[in-house]
Amino acid sequence: MNKSIIKDVEVKVIELPLKKQWKIALYAAKTRGHAVVKIITNHGVIGYGEASPSPAFMGETADTIKLVIDKYLKPALIGLNAFDVDLIHERMNLAIYGNYAAKSTIDIALYDIMGKALGVPAYKLLGGKYRSEIELSWVVGMQDLEGSIQEAKEKLAQGYKTLKVKVGNTPQIDYNLVKGIREAVGKDVPIRLDANQGYDYKTAVEVFRRIEEFGLESIEQPVRRWDIEGMKYVKEHLKTPIMADESVSSLHDVYRIIKERAADIVNIKVGKVGGLTIAKKIADALEISGLTGTAGSNLEVGIGSAASIHFVASSKTVNMPNDLLLGGPLHEYDLIKNQFEINDGKVICSDKPGLGIEVDESIFK
Ligand SMILES: [Mg+2]
């Protein structure tokens, strides 16, 4: 029926300023590179995708995405039907190994095209709507203690119900930070920590055994991405649930986490794992293994965030608060013209066709 043949693929790299420095255990930055992709079909349907990987986290950048798409992915995609997503992933994987952020921009654009071609929102193509409202969490990046406490209080006042705090600094700085925020926000606010690989497994247990007394919802990526045994050790020596983020950067990565029972929760980022198609497969893997999920952010702005919203709206196992809308508020500008509908710390998934966003086309000029 729908002969949505891929006719052209265009990529733009845009460096956007952040409102203030963004710092985590892996890096600090004042701007963020975004790769925006535009796929056009033979019927003139246009789909958009976006990713903004940080080099230290992903091993990819907006510039590598442009090179990889222009030289390897675009030639493999021209002439294929945009609805044949598994085949398209196979062709992309044969064209070049890895580069999951680059592949995610393509995959996201396919769902935008399919939705627009059929006149349905992207979530309808991902299993349908499981939830209409998506609970958000706010991430407090590394800064001085006073600034962290101030930001935590401001975001709770804006309606966020869950805080994620970036740690992995030094044991004493982390201790003082979590103590300070807990005392400032009271005992009932869920606090999630993200160490971004900041500790080795033995130090992680020492540090978080002390901090656990403040009451934690979960601890994300306490150890290096490759140290699955170390993550399992941490999980077995702490009371708090452990979340894998960097350790699950592809579909196949989740297998070892499940097999080793190395984590309780997986942070599934659409822009990290290869797009909506792969994110859904990981969400299904969590269902068969009894794990649970959340959807994080690589600081994408509107296009990438919209994809994550459709993912969570359609995924039963992604049932924890999500920091998928972090990128927009941290940037000076966005790449879409319409605003997301946010109410009391929750974002509402759009019912418009495709991703339901209006992209600022001037970026392609
Ligand atoms: Mg993380």
Side-chain angles (χ1 to χ4, degrees):
M1 42 170 237
N2 264 284
K3 283 242 179 216
S4 293
I5 303 301
I6 296 172
K7 204 176 100 184
D8 196 17
V9 181
E10 201 179 326
V11 196
K12 281 280 178 195
V13 172
I14 298 153
E15 191 80 18
L16 291 178
L18 298 169
K19 287 178 186 163
K20 64 177 185 183
Q21 174 183 256
W22 174 249
K23 188 170 183 232
I24 65 172
L26 283 171
Y27 67 91
K30 287 181 176 164
T31 64
R32 190 88 179 178
H34 298 256
V36 182
V37 72
K38 175 176 170 179
I39 300 183
I40 304 166
T41 71
N42 59 330
H43 292 314
V45 177
I46 295 175
Y48 296 97
E50 179 217 346
S52 65
S54 80
F57 188 105
M58 291 286 294
E60 293 178 80
T61 69
D63 295 303
T64 70
I65 289 177
K66 177 157 175 60
L67 176 88
V68 164
I69 291 177
D70 284 343
K71 191 164 178 183
Y72 302 98
L73 300 183
K74 179 178 169 178
L77 295 173
I78 301 291
L80 295 182
N81 190 318
F83 282 71
D84 296 336
V85 288
D86 267 13
L87 178 69
I88 287 174
H89 275 275
E90 185 179 73
R91 295 287 174 86
M92 291 199 291
N93 290 336
L94 288 171
I96 188 165
Y97 170 79
N99 290 279
Y100 297 113
K103 290 167 186 172
S104 76
T105 65
I106 301 288
D107 181 273
I108 290 167
L110 297 177
Y111 285 88
D112 200 23
I113 287 174
M114 290 188 280
K116 285 170 178 169
L118 296 174
V120 298
Y123 68 78
K124 288 281 185 201
L125 302 158
L126 296 164
K129 191 182 271 181
Y130 182 79
R131 54 177 73 78
S132 315
E133 296 182 329
I134 292 153
E135 196 177 336
L136 300 173
S137 45
W138 180 258
V139 187
V140 180
M142 284 182 178
Q143 57 203 297
D144 62 35
L145 180 61
E146 279 312 304
S148 298
I149 291 172
Q150 182 69 23
E151 186 177 315
K153 290 202 286 197
E154 273 172 26
K155 292 299 170 181
L156 292 173
Q158 284 173 21
Y160 292 91
K161 307 277 187 290
T162 299
L163 295 171
K164 172 157 137 183
V165 179
K166 290 291 191 181
V167 294
N169 204 322
T170 69
Q172 197 57 44
I173 289 174
D174 286 355
Y175 181 88
N176 293 342
L177 175 64
V178 181
K179 181 173 187 281
I181 292 179
R182 175 55 82 205
E183 285 170 0
V185 303
K187 64 177 174 43
D188 295 331
V189 174
I191 295 179
R192 177 184 299 177
L193 304 185
D194 186 358
N196 286 111
Q197 314 178 55
Y199 291 113
D200 65 79
Y201 70 98
K202 281 192 174 160
T203 311
V205 170
E206 277 170 36
V207 171
F208 294 119
R209 266 198 182 149
R210 286 184 72 207
I211 295 179
E212 270 186 326
E213 67 173 278
F214 302 119
L216 302 175
E217 177 228 53
S218 59
I219 300 167
E220 185 172 340
Q221 200 65 44
V223 297
R224 315 291 183 237
R225 65 193 312 146
W226 42 263
D227 191 8
I228 306 301
E229 291 82 359
M231 189 181 285
K232 182 178 182 176
Y233 181 91
V234 174
K235 176 175 167 259
E236 287 174 346
H237 287 80
L238 294 175
K239 286 176 287 185
T240 307
I242 299 298
M243 186 189 304
D245 181 5
E246 289 93 317
S247 293
V248 180
S249 291
S250 72
L251 176 60
H252 298 95
D253 285 344
V254 80
Y255 172 70
R256 268 196 77 204
I257 295 291
I258 291 168
K259 182 166 173 277
E260 305 288 340
R261 295 264 152 199
D264 306 285
I265 307 158
V266 175
N267 185 344
I268 310 172
K269 295 173 178 164
V270 172
K272 172 184 69 171
V273 298
L276 287 161
T277 304
I278 311 300
K280 287 299 293 189
K281 292 182 184 189
I282 294 175
D284 290 345
L286 299 188
E287 182 160 11
I288 59 171
S289 59
L291 271 66
T292 190
T294 177
S297 164
N298 271 347
L299 307 201
E300 299 88 357
V301 284
I303 308 168
S305 299
S308 299
I309 292 169
H310 285 272
F311 166 60
V312 179
S314 64
S315 300
K316 184 169 75 172
T317 55
V318 187
N319 57 15
M320 298 184 69
N322 307 278
D323 49 70
L324 52 79
L325 267 193
L326 183 63
L330 291 182
H331 281 82
E332 292 277 1
Y333 343 95
D334 208 320
L335 302 173
I336 59 170
K337 292 178 180 171
N338 52 331
Q339 295 283 314
F340 293 111
E341 197 186 333
I342 298 172
N343 186 14
D344 195 31
K346 296 181 179 121
V347 62
I348 316 297
C349 189
S350 167
D351 287 317
K352 291 182 185 149
L355 297 174
I357 50 167
E358 199 186 325
V359 174
D360 181 357
E361 255 294 320
S362 69
I363 58 181
F364 286 94
K365 302 252 155 64

